[in-house]
């Protein structure tokens, strides 16, 4: 009698692992298709979509793990741009790790939308703090035609310039896919 439950749990673990590997690989591939790139790092890409999708389907812990793996891959294979171990931890490991917070909305109706917003804002906040503290000494005199006097304001403008489009694109992709794929996006196929 326990055997079917054991197989079911094992099946779901294997499925979670396989989906995680495929969606992290998809995110990595999508990260190479840059729509727009900032001069000191940060770009507008579709890589948040598979990571948010995975987190919302499988939950917080698997989402955090997949997002962390993606952060490692970004640093290793996407020409990681860092000025020290602090920026490696902040701009890659921690900033991508927080995308897994989308898992807080696991299997909820409209969870991909809430997850996209929360994960995107969390990632922005990490980049914002890292930019204002670690990257502060590299602040230019002018940015977007404005004189920069505060590293906090500069970091706000710099990171919003690519994070707002990333969040918007992720939400738009899920909006387009929601009706035909709602059961998949809500994880109904896993129950």
């Amino acid at each position: 009698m326990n055997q079917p439950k054991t197989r079911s749990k094992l099946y779901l673990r294997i499925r979670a692992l396989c989906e995680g590997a495929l969606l992290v690989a998809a995110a990595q591939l999508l990260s190479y298709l840059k729509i727009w790139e900032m001069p000191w790092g940060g770009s507008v890409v579709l890589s948040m979509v598979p990571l948010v999708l995975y987190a919302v389907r499988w939950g917080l812990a698997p989402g955090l793990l997949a997002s962390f793996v993606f952060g490692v891959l970004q640093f290793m294979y996407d020409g990681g741009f860092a000025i020290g171990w602090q920026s490696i931890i902040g701009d890659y490991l921690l900033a991508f790790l927080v995308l897994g917070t989308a898992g807080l909305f696991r299997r909820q109706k409209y969870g991909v939308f809430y997850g996209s917003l929360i994960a995107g804002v969390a990632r922005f906040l990490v980049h914002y703090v890292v930019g204002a503290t670690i990257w502060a000494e590299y602040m230019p005199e002018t940015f977007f035609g404005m004189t920069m006097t505060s590293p906090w304001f500069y970091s706000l403008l710099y990171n919003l310039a690519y994070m707002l489009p990333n969040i918007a694109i992720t939400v738009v992709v899920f909006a387009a896919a929601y009706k035909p794929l709602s059961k998949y996006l809500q994880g109904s196929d896993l129950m």
Side-chain angles (χ1 to χ4, degrees), residues 5-185:
K5 283 187 178 182
T6 306
R7 277 192 205 163
S8 179
K9 284 184 181 183
L10 179 61
Y11 169 77
L12 285 176
R13 285 184 182 173
I14 292 171
R15 183 168 174 179
L17 184 63
C18 292
E19 275 189 33
L22 289 171
L23 290 173
V24 167
Q28 185 66 23
L29 289 173
L30 289 170
S31 75
Y32 296 130
L33 305 173
K34 295 178 182 357
I35 299 167
W36 184 56
E37 190 170 15
M38 295 291 288
W40 293 96
S43 54
V44 177
V45 291
L46 291 167
S47 59
M48 275 180 50
V49 173
L51 298 171
V52 168
L53 172 61
Y54 181 73
V56 170
R57 281 179 55 76
W58 292 98
L60 183 63
L64 291 171
L65 180 59
S67 298
F68 178 79
V69 168
F70 177 71
V72 171
L73 292 173
Q74 281 294 283
F75 178 71
M76 290 174 54
Y77 296 111
D78 198 31
F81 192 79
I83 56 173
W85 64 269
Q86 300 94 334
S87 84
I88 293 169
I89 290 171
D91 280 329
Y92 291 95
L93 305 181
L94 188 56
F96 290 108
L97 170 77
V98 298
L99 290 177
T101 58
L104 293 170
F105 301 96
R106 178 182 183 190
R107 299 183 184 161
Q108 292 182 17
K109 188 173 186 178
Y110 308 120
V112 290
F113 300 110
Y114 300 129
S116 296
L117 293 174
I118 295 299
V121 168
R123 180 178 165 206
F124 162 75
L125 289 173
V126 172
H127 286 304
Y128 172 62
V129 171
V130 170
T133 56
I134 296 170
W135 290 94
E137 64 185 274
Y138 298 98
M139 179 179 75
E141 290 183 23
T142 60
F143 186 69
F144 287 147
M146 294 181 271
T147 302
M148 293 292 113
T149 56
S150 165
W152 292 97
F153 184 64
Y154 167 66
S155 182
L156 177 76
L157 291 178
Y158 187 95
N159 290 296
L160 278 178
Y162 69 93
M163 281 308 301
L164 274 180
N166 278 328
I167 295 167
I169 287 170
T170 303
V171 169
V172 167
V173 167
F174 285 133
Y178 194 77
K179 190 170 182 178
L181 298 174
S182 64
K183 287 184 179 182
Y184 185 79
L185 295 175

